[in-house]
Amino acid sequence: METNVVGVDQSSSGEPSAPPRVHYLNAAYGIGSWLLTKDHKRIALLYLLSVTFFFFIGGFFAVLIRLELITPPGDLMQSETYNKMFTMHGVLMIFFFLIPAIPAVLGNFLVPMMIGARDLAFPRINLLSWYIYSIGGLLGMGAVIFGGVDTGWTFYTPYSSTYSNSNVILAALGAFVAGFSSILTGLNFIVTIHKMRAPGLTWSRLPLFIWAHYATSIIQILGTPVVAIAIVLVALERLFHIGIFDPKLGGDPLLFQHLFWFYSHPAVYIMILPAMGVINELITCFSRKRIFGYHFIAGSSIAIAVLGFLVWGHHMFTSGQSIYGGFVFSVLSMLVAIPSAIKVFNWTATFYKGSISYQAPMLYAFGFIGLFTIGGLTGLFLATTAIDVHLHDTYFVVAHFHYIMVGGTIMGYLGGLHYWWPKMTGKIYPEGWARFAALVIFVGFNLTFLPQFILGYLGMPRRYHYYPEEFQVLNVMSSAGASILGVGYLIPMVYFVWSLRYGKASAQNPWGAHGLEWETSSPPPTENFEKQPIVTHEPYDYTPKPEEVAVV
Amino acid sequence: MSNEHASALAHQFDDLDQQFEASTLGMWVFLVQEILFFGGLFLAYSIYRLQYPQAFEAASRLLDYKLGALNTAVLICSSLTMALAVRSAQLGQRRALVNYLLMTIALGAVFLGVKVVEYGDKFEHHLVPGPHFALSAHEPHLIGINPQHVQLFFSLYFAMTGMHALHMVVGIGILAVLVVMAWRGRFSEEYYTPVDIVGLYWHFVDIVWIFLFPLLYLISRH
């Protein structure tokens, strides 16, 4: 289904007689040249492989969960097994896919290229963070192999610290270790963005993708260590019975929830902000129009990062915190809607009188706006204390955070992966298949999670493996959607791999996009640029064609 | 700064100035992360201190403030020798640099040695949290105090000082690497970035102790 891809430059594959060009992929051969590489682009590909691996393992657990929930009684597995399934689904997907996906794959590849640097500031730390991530992943997998964990991904105390008989320490250690990978990536990005920008690339000329990663890095630096210490304390309490969270010993389980959500709520923005960064690039490129409200979008990224730290208490409305605390957290939570809405309105305004083309990455961008809007608006329900008492720990919450975290992040991730695939690999993927997959994913996603809003509203609690019969129709719809979604995720994997061998060679700039990463060859040389780029104009300088100006 | 020491310049940087600034900023960002890492523990400590003021007061008297004060002095001296090491590196004095680094390591080791003595003492008196935790009956100021709240104090004491000691151990390891590098003449007036940023780390670890000492040992003493 090779169809009209804009700007495929047939001549770019080079004269047949010319020697093959040296780029980062063929600059060195052998497994050692990959496992010891300090090139941010190769490390991005290492991350791509491991992130994809954990995505499909985590997805496998999701399939088992949805299979179990097709029928009301718990006939496929024991409750204990079911608890382990949803825990591992959560742990793997959040700590090993959603959090690292965009920063570690697309961010690693693009942050230095977009600012005209030869590499990240600390290439060795970058490689180290991949190894740390992999060790964390292996520990997490170890917890599955040695019997699983049944606490839920939140590791709530005192269940996790005292009563659970499962492999909490191993899984928590995995999350702890992966956290340091996240911190190191954030540190690397902050220093790189501050110190290594090309001449002329002022802060107000930075691509919005960079702004999004800058905001994300701040959260990674400030949030992750707090959850790290909370996890250490849980492990210490299990090992030595030290009683910091155990009420029997004078401790307070709510303290764990405070420390946990102080990170884990901002972690949602670690997932969604980079996706928003990707969406900015896609929308302005495929609308052929300068992005509307550049400074507001950049500022709203920082605002989301800051506000994200002030809202953790909305996870604890029903936990017995004071009603005044609940009121403050409720108001602060609603404030996050403002910068989020700024972004959505600015994207919509960018479409206005744009020259929109419906390439696959743009379809993901549309999908993102739809899913993010539904997820965001349902967040307002949950931020309202009175309604939250009804909806707390029901499938409404499950649907809400899947719309935001999964819908948002995966749409951004896949959109970005399609958009920069020609840059990363030098190959063009089959456009028709890509559009088809985007459609399947969108339909599958909504069929999976829309019924869950209704289920939750009707009162079905999360984390139960059996339910009253009247919920069956909606659960079957959701499970059917999950299978469509699963197929949707498999299609890109197949054609991406296919394109590596059979795809057409890509031009330097197949989309006709602006940005420094498109001013070097595809795939780029090891040093990213033949000579140091100098920036002389604003980002997103998509000037309308003369005849369009005449109409206006 | 010139590019004489091309071997010290990593390929991704244009010049040593840029490299120095990037490394320094990197260390500062790392230290911000460290502050939040300890911040969780400080938060837990403040909450429980407010919740159980008498138990925490009584428990803090079981610590040996003289050993704590000695360690504070030792650490401040080590900060001085570390600062002098950075100065020697900037002046290109190889021998002085090595000496000051070794002195810093020695002072750090003294600190850890005193900590071992303190921990051993707590172990002997059954003050280590866990199944063997017990308060001796003849301590008059412990009458009427819930032993579990005292145990909570010691949980936090060991978590906080243990995490601090771990940072000291890591710091001493890094200093040892610096000694070898300095001995081999890797540093000069133009290139001393590693000494500088390790100095930042060492001072940070000292500052954490400066907060820990009054919080754990001193607040309730009159």
Side-chain angles (χ1 to χ4, degrees), chain B residues 172-218:
Chain B
I172 289 176
I174 300 171
L175 284 172
V177 175
L178 280 192
V179 169
V180 175
M181 287 170 79
W183 185 256
R184 291 185 183 159
R186 289 284 305 278
F187 305 124
S188 64
E189 295 98 314
E190 281 83 27
Y191 178 70
Y192 54 86
T193 311
V195 186
D196 201 78
I197 62 174
V198 171
L200 283 176
Y201 173 82
W202 192 261
H203 297 315
F204 167 80
V205 177
D206 285 3
I207 289 171
V208 170
W209 178 257
I210 299 294
F211 281 93
L212 286 179
F213 175 54
L215 269 186
L216 294 169
Y217 293 74
L218 294 184

Side-chain angles (χ1 to χ4, degrees), chain A residues 8-248:
Chain A
V8 175
D9 184 356
Q10 301 294 350
S11 64
S12 74
S13 49
E15 299 298 312
S17 58
R21 197 174 57 82
V22 176
H23 49 72
Y24 82 103
L25 289 169
N26 65 10
Y29 287 100
I31 191 99
S33 77
W34 283 88
L35 292 180
L36 299 174
T37 183
K38 283 181 241 126
D39 184 345
H40 66 101
K41 300 182 287 300
R42 285 188 164 209
I43 294 170
L45 294 189
L46 292 177
Y47 267 116
L48 177 63
L49 287 178
S50 26
V51 155
T52 308
F53 173 75
F54 287 116
F55 174 73
F56 279 102
I57 304 268
F60 173 70
F61 286 115
V63 168
L64 292 180
I65 292 168
R66 281 323 314 175
L67 271 179
E68 161 63 45
L69 292 175
I70 289 176
T71 54
D75 45 8
L76 186 68
M77 54 185 101
Q78 305 285 314
S79 4
E80 223 179 292
T81 320
Y82 181 79
N83 292 347
K84 289 174 179 171
M85 293 298 146
F86 73 67
T87 301
M88 288 327 294
H89 169 66
V91 169
L92 288 178
M93 282 303 200
I94 288 176
F95 293 113
F96 299 103
F97 176 73
L98 290 174
I99 288 177
I102 300 180
V105 179
L106 298 174
N108 241 330
F109 194 91
L110 292 162
V111 165
M113 304 239 316
M114 279 187 169
I115 65 170
R118 286 189 285 273
D119 205 326
L120 285 168
F122 309 117
R124 229 178 297 190
I125 289 180
N126 195 20
L127 179 64
L128 176 70
S129 79
W130 179 71
Y131 276 102
I132 293 177
Y133 166 84
S134 305
I135 292 168
L138 291 179
L139 288 170
M141 294 298 293
V144 181
I145 292 162
F146 298 125
V149 190
D150 63 354
T151 60
W153 77 277
T154 50
F155 303 116
Y156 268 11
T157 55
Y159 184 67
S160 63
S161 61
T162 310
Y163 300 107
S164 168
N165 294 319
S166 57
N167 273 310
V168 177
I169 291 188
L170 210 52
L173 198 64
F176 174 80
V177 169
F180 280 95
S181 156
S182 177
I183 290 173
L184 292 177
T185 305
L187 187 152
N188 229 334
F189 285 174
I190 286 186
V191 174
T192 307
I193 295 168
H194 266 277
K195 296 293 176 193
M196 302 185 71
R197 281 169 285 136
L201 190 58
T202 58
W203 285 92
S204 58
R205 286 176 180 172
L206 278 184
L208 289 165
F209 181 87
I210 300 290
W211 271 107
H213 275 76
Y214 187 72
T216 308
S217 302
I218 292 175
I219 303 175
Q220 288 173 315
I221 297 288
L222 296 182
T224 320
V226 178
V227 81
I229 196 69
I231 288 176
V232 168
L233 290 175
V234 168
L236 289 177
E237 191 154 317
R238 274 189 84 82
L239 287 172
F240 304 112
H241 308 286
I242 64 168
I244 288 176
F245 303 125
D246 185 352
K248 269 197 307 194

Side-chain angles (χ1 to χ4, degrees), chain A residues 38 117-123 176 180 183-184 186-187 190-191 194-197 220-226 228-229 232-233 236 240-245 247-253 255 258-259 262 526-527 532, chain B residues 9-15 18-19 21-41 43-45 47-48 51-52 129-131 146-149 151-152 154-156 158-159 163:
Chain A
K38 283 181 241 126
R118 286 189 285 273
D119 205 326
L120 285 168
F122 309 117
F176 174 80
F180 280 95
I183 290 173
L184 292 177
L187 187 152
I190 286 186
V191 174
H194 266 277
K195 296 293 176 193
M196 302 185 71
R197 281 169 285 136
Q220 288 173 315
I221 297 288
L222 296 182
T224 320
V226 178
I229 196 69
V232 168
L233 290 175
L236 289 177
F240 304 112
H241 308 286
I242 64 168
I244 288 176
F245 303 125
K248 269 197 307 194
L249 300 172
D252 187 350
L255 175 65
H258 280 291
L259 292 175
F262 180 79
T526 303
E527 296 263 294
Q532 172 79 67
Chain B
L9 181 68
H11 77 100
Q12 71 272 25
F13 295 110
D14 295 328
D15 52 43
Q18 190 190 25
Q19 180 172 342
E21 283 177 20
S23 305
T24 311
L25 179 65
M27 184 46 92
W28 276 109
V29 174
F30 178 75
L31 293 182
V32 168
Q33 179 273 135
E34 289 280 3
I35 289 173
L36 280 140
F37 191 69
F38 279 100
L41 290 170
L43 175 78
Y45 179 86
I47 287 172
Y48 292 128
Q51 237 163 33
Y52 315 118
N146 185 342
Q148 283 183 342
H149 299 166
Q151 185 178 350
L152 192 57
F154 278 100
S155 300
L156 287 161
F158 278 103
M163 198 59 76

Side-chain angles (χ1 to χ4, degrees), chain A residues 480-496:
Chain A
S483 57
I484 296 174
L485 190 57
V487 172
Y489 289 146
L490 284 170
I491 304 172
M493 204 175 86
V494 172
Y495 65 69
F496 273 145

